[in-house]
Amino acid sequence: MSLLISVQNISKAFGSQVLFERISLNIVQGDRIGLLGPNGSGKTSLLKILVGEETEDAGEISKRQHLRIGYASQMPEFPDLPIEEVLVKSVKGNEEQHDAITRARIILGKMQFSDLKQQASSLSGGWKKRLDIARALMHEPDLLLLDEPTNHLDLEGILWLEQFLQRENLTYIVVSHDRYFLENISNKIVELNKCYPEGLLVADGSLSSFMEQKEAFLESQAQRQRGLASTVRQEVEWLKRSPKARTTKSQSRIKNTYKLMDELADVKQRNTESKVALNFTASERETRKLLTSNNLTKSLGGKELFKGVDITLSPGSRIGIVGKNGTGKTTLLKLLAGEIQPDLGTIKYADDLKIVYFDQHRNKIDSNVTLKEALSPDSDYVDYHGRQIHVNGWAQKFLFHSDRLGLPVRCLSGGERARILIARLILEPADILFLDEPTNDLDISTLEVIEESLLEFTGAVVLITHDRCMMDRICTKLLGLGEGLERDFFAEYSQWEAACKGKRTSRDPQKVEVKEPLKKKSLSYKEKKELENMEINISQLEEEIEKMHRELNTSSSPDLYQGVANKEKELEALFERWQDLLDRAT
C-alpha cells in the first residue's frame, strides 16, 4: 500500500500543557483509522497538524506529493448560503464551475440532502455534520479526517454514516468515542495516551481487538514495574551495605542502580491511570413509585409526535428512549420532567420528588469564565455529599490540574467542557435523572466511569443517547418512538432496530417483559432466491448509477440529479436488505 503521511517524533504543547511528545505514525492508503485518547490528549490538534491548520512544535511530517486531505471539524460553521453554493465555493478557483456544481450535487445526493437550496446556517446539528463531510469530500481527498462526526447525529444518522464509510473507497482517520461505531468502521486503532512509552499505541483490527491488545500491554507494563521494583530494592540494599570502594565495577553498578530507579519512576508514572471520580447523588428515597404516567399524547405544529405512552418509574428503573429525529424523544423527556404539559394523559409524582434534568445542548457554559468559576461559581468550595471540598480537590476529581484553574473555558477541549457539565450534574441530589445526550465529546474511559456510576445510582434514570453501547449497558428496557411503535418496549437497541425493519409486531406494553433477543428466523424459499440474486441486483443498480453519473457530465437537468440521489438511497436499502438476509442465513 502507498504511504500517504509519515509522522516522525512530533510534539505539541499549549503553554505548560504538553499534549503529546515525540510520537511517530505512518498512514498508508487503505487505512481506516479510529483515533482514541483521553480528553485533552491532542487528538484534534493532531488532525489539525496533519491538515496544516496548526504546526507541530518539534519533529517532522512527510506527505506524499500532491496529497489531497479533506477535513471535517468538530464544530463546523457555515455562511448563510444555499448548501449547494457552500460546496461549490469551497473549491472555487480550482476547477470549472460546471464540474464543481456536478460533483456538489452528486455528493449531496449521497448525503441524502433533498433540498439543494436550503440555507446551510439553518441546518440542525446533525445535518451540519453531514454537510461538513460533504465539503471535505468536494476536494476528492486521498485522506479524509473526521473529528467527532457522530456528535449531534441521531442513531439513524450514525447508522447511515457507518454504511457510507463502509461502502465508499476511502482512507480516513476518525476521532470518535462511539464504541459500536468504531468497531464497525475501523481496520486500525490508534490511541494517544501518555501511559505508553511511545506516547501512542497502534493496533491493526477492530476496537475490540485493540482493547485486548491494550489490556495485554498494560499488564505487561505492570509486570515490568513489579520486576523493576524488586530489582531496585535489592540494589538499594547493596548500596547501603557496600563499602565505599571506588572500583570501576562498583561505580558501574551504582550508575546502573540509579538508571533502574529512573526507569521505575517512569514506568510507575505511565501505569498511574487517572479516572474521573463520579458518584451520582441519590436521595435514597424508598418510595416504590416515583413517577407514573398514563396515555401521554403530544403534538407540535399540527404533527402528532406520540400517543398513548405509559411509563412507571421506580428506584432502579433504567429506561432509554429511542427514535428518529422529530419523533419527540426530548419532548417526552420534558413532559416527564414537568417542563411542558401533555395534550392528553396524566403524570403523577411522588411527594417532594427531586428531579435533575441534564441537556448538554442547553446547559451551556460561558466560554469567558475561568475553569475555577465554571466548577465552583459561588465560592472556593463545593458541597458534595454533605462535605465541603476545595475547588482544587474538586478539579482533580475531574482530571483538571490545579494550575489550569485560571484558564478560560474557551481554551478547553470539547471533552473537558463536557466534564465540567458532569461535575455540575453530580452535585445535585436526585430521585430521577433525566439525561438528554450526556456523552458528547467524552473519552471512552470517562464514558465507562459514567456508566458504572449510573448502574450504582439507586434512583431512576431515563436516558436519550446516540451511544448504542451505553444504551445497551445501562438501560433494562427501551421505549421506541415513531414507526408506529410508540407503545412498545424493547430489551436492547438491536430489537428496536429489527422492529423498525418489520421483523416483529407491536405488543401491549403492560405485558412486556425484558427477554433475551429474539431468535433469528430461517429464510423462506422466496428469501433464499432473493439472496441468490442479490449480488446481481446490486451490481446492476451500481451500473445504473455509474451511467447516470456519466450523463451528469453533459447534462445539468435537476431531474437527473434527483434521480441519482434516489438511486443512491435505493442502493443503501439494497445493501441493508442483503446484510439482513446474510445475517439470518448464517
Side-chain angles (χ1 to χ4, degrees):
M1 285 292 184
S2 173
L3 179 65
L4 302 183
I5 297 180
S6 176
V7 175
Q8 297 297 322
N9 298 316
I10 69 167
S11 303
K12 185 67 178 179
F14 284 110
S16 61
Q17 184 188 10
V18 177
L19 300 181
F20 47 78
E21 285 186 288
R22 298 181 62 79
I23 64 170
S24 298
L25 174 68
N26 287 331
I27 303 164
V28 301
Q29 188 176 5
D31 275 347
R32 298 184 163 205
I33 297 173
L35 180 59
L36 308 179
N39 296 139
S41 60
K43 300 182 294 296
T44 294
S45 292
L46 178 58
L47 293 192
K48 289 183 175 180
I49 289 171
L50 294 178
V51 80
E53 290 191 5
E54 290 184 8
T55 58
E56 62 276 17
D57 297 336
E60 184 179 355
I61 297 179
S62 302
K63 299 179 182 179
R64 191 181 73 184
Q65 194 172 15
H66 306 304
L67 181 71
R68 296 187 302 270
I69 301 177
Y71 174 52
S73 67
Q74 192 171 356
M75 301 291 288
E77 295 182 359
F78 299 99
D80 192 18
L81 293 172
I83 59 175
E84 180 183 287
E85 191 173 341
V86 167
L87 297 197
V88 172
K89 283 184 176 294
S90 70
V91 294
K92 190 175 181 181
N94 296 329
E95 60 185 274
E96 293 293 332
Q97 179 84 355
H98 174 76
D99 293 340
I101 292 174
T102 299
R103 193 160 73 256
R105 292 180 178 177
I106 292 172
I107 292 173
L108 289 171
K110 288 184 176 183
M111 298 288 151
Q112 299 184 340
F113 285 95
S114 57
D115 181 5
L116 306 189
K117 302 302 180 184
Q118 185 176 2
Q119 295 295 303
S121 58
S122 69
L123 295 172
S124 66
W127 284 100
K128 283 183 177 178
K129 282 287 186 181
R130 293 196 192 204
L131 185 60
D132 200 31
I133 296 171
R135 183 165 57 179
L137 291 173
M138 280 295 291
H139 300 276
E140 297 182 303
D142 303 302
L143 174 64
L144 180 63
L145 308 178
L146 303 178
D147 195 353
E148 295 288 3
T150 63
N151 278 3
H152 310 300
L153 289 179
D154 61 2
L155 286 168
E156 182 187 20
I158 293 172
L159 290 173
W160 164 82
L161 183 57
E162 278 184 9
Q163 293 160 3
F164 176 81
L165 292 176
Q166 289 167 349
R167 187 175 68 247
E168 298 293 314
N169 183 25
L170 296 170
T171 300
Y172 52 73
I173 303 176
V174 176
V175 174
S176 179
H177 302 119
D178 187 318
R179 289 154 287 184
Y180 284 4
F181 177 72
L182 287 173
E183 179 74 17
N184 293 333
I185 60 96
S186 304
N187 63 16
K188 181 183 289 186
I189 299 292
V190 176
E191 183 180 35
L192 289 176
N193 200 317
K194 294 175 183 175
C195 72
Y196 305 121
E198 307 299 325
L200 51 72
L201 181 64
V202 181
D204 290 329
S206 64
L207 178 63
S208 55
S209 174
F210 168 82
M211 297 306 289
E212 292 175 0
Q213 294 182 57
K214 176 180 178 178
E215 184 178 359
F217 176 87
L218 293 179
E219 175 58 31
S220 173
Q221 189 165 263
Q223 290 178 356
R224 174 61 176 161
Q225 179 181 333
R226 291 190 288 269
L228 278 171
S230 176
T231 302
V232 166
R233 280 195 300 270
Q234 295 172 12
E235 293 302 290
V236 169
E237 286 299 318
W238 173 80
L239 284 173
K240 290 178 180 178
R241 295 194 311 268
S242 177
K244 296 183 179 180
R246 291 293 182 263
T247 65
T248 301
K249 184 175 182 180
S250 295
Q251 288 296 310
S252 174
R253 186 169 179 178
I254 290 170
K255 288 180 180 179
N256 187 58
T257 298
Y258 284 113
K259 183 179 178 181
L260 289 173
M261 292 171 69
D262 288 340
E263 184 181 352
L264 175 60
D266 184 48
V267 173
K268 286 178 68 175
Q269 184 177 7
R270 292 201 305 272
N271 282 339
T272 303
E273 184 178 6
S274 298
K275 287 190 175 181
V276 174
L278 286 178
N279 183 6
F280 290 100
T281 307
S283 63
E284 305 299 337
R285 176 191 291 269
E286 296 182 358
T287 308
R288 184 173 181 183
K289 290 186 178 180
L290 303 175
L291 179 155
T292 303
S293 67
N294 293 296
N295 196 33
L296 293 183
T297 301
K298 187 66 178 178
S299 298
L300 286 177
K303 176 188 176 183
E304 185 176 77
L305 299 178
F306 49 80
K307 62 180 179 180
V309 175
D310 301 338
I311 293 178
T312 298
L313 297 178
S314 304
S317 295
R318 300 286 185 272
I319 295 179
I321 303 176
V322 294
K324 297 179 181 179
N325 279 347
T327 53
K329 300 187 296 296
T330 295
T331 299
L332 178 57
L333 209 61
K334 289 180 178 179
L335 279 178
L336 295 174
E339 296 197 356
I340 58 176
Q341 297 301 310
D343 298 336
L344 291 174
T346 60
I347 305 176
K348 293 182 180 180
Y349 301 96
D351 293 338
D352 301 319
L353 189 70
K354 294 182 175 64
I355 292 175
V356 170
Y357 188 107
F358 178 88
D359 177 0
Q360 186 167 0
H361 307 302
R362 187 180 63 175
N363 300 12
K364 298 294 184 182
I365 307 170
D366 184 350
S367 61
N368 294 315
V369 303
T370 64
L371 173 59
K372 176 182 179 298
E373 292 168 332
L375 289 171
S376 181
D378 300 322
S379 70
D380 288 341
Y381 292 86
V382 298
D383 186 351
Y384 180 58
H385 288 206
R387 294 184 295 118
Q388 293 292 306
I389 300 179
H390 193 273
V391 67
N392 286 0
W394 187 242
Q396 289 173 9
K397 276 181 172 288
F398 294 88
L399 309 185
F400 294 112
H401 198 276
S402 57
D403 65 5
R404 304 183 69 203
L405 288 173
L407 279 177
V409 168
R410 65 176 178 272
C411 296
L412 303 178
S413 70
E416 289 171 325
R417 296 186 196 193
R419 290 209 304 267
I420 296 173
L421 293 175
I422 298 296
R424 291 179 172 183
L425 171 66
I426 70 171
L427 290 175
E428 303 179 56
D431 299 307
I432 303 176
L433 292 174
F434 291 113
L435 305 177
D436 194 348
E437 295 291 1
T439 65
N440 281 350
D441 301 314
L442 293 174
D443 58 52
I444 290 177
S445 176
T446 304
L447 287 175
E448 290 173 343
V449 174
I450 289 176
E451 288 167 355
E452 293 296 336
S453 300
L454 288 175
L455 288 170
E456 294 171 0
F457 178 66
T458 57
V461 176
V462 183
L463 174 67
I464 299 173
T465 179
H466 61 251
D467 189 323
R468 290 159 290 173
C469 185
M470 172 175 275
M471 187 77 79
D472 281 345
R473 191 168 179 216
I474 296 299
C475 301
T476 55
K477 58 183 178 180
L478 307 183
L479 172 65
L481 297 183
E483 308 291 340
L485 300 168
E486 60 266 22
R487 290 176 54 81
D488 215 347
F489 285 91
F490 304 87
E492 58 185 18
Y493 180 78
S494 61
Q495 284 191 4
W496 154 253
E497 192 176 17
C500 291
K501 295 178 180 178
K503 288 187 177 179
R504 49 158 292 175
T505 57
S506 299
R507 299 173 300 194
D508 183 346
Q510 299 299 328
K511 298 179 181 178
V512 169
E513 297 292 333
V514 176
K515 299 179 180 179
E516 292 299 317
L518 299 178
K519 293 183 178 179
K520 300 174 183 175
K521 294 182 180 179
S522 59
L523 297 181
S524 66
Y525 175 78
K526 184 177 179 181
E527 287 173 327
K528 289 178 180 177
K529 298 299 290 184
E530 182 185 358
L531 180 58
E532 289 175 6
N533 296 321
M534 190 62 76
E535 288 190 55
I536 297 174
N537 294 337
I538 288 174
S539 179
Q540 289 175 345
L541 188 54
E542 287 178 330
E543 288 178 4
E544 288 181 41
I545 294 172
E546 181 63 29
K547 180 181 177 182
M548 294 173 76
H549 284 175
R550 289 195 297 269
E551 291 177 13
L552 286 172
N553 293 328
T554 58
S555 172
S556 57
S557 168
D559 292 339
L560 187 55
Y561 289 117
Q562 188 60 52
V564 171
N566 293 338
K567 288 293 183 181
E568 291 281 358
K569 291 180 182 179
E570 187 179 339
L571 182 61
E572 283 197 17
L574 207 55
F575 272 114
E576 287 183 9
R577 177 62 174 166
W578 190 24
Q579 187 62 56
D580 171 30
L581 294 173
L582 284 174
D583 290 343
R584 291 168 54 197
T586 56

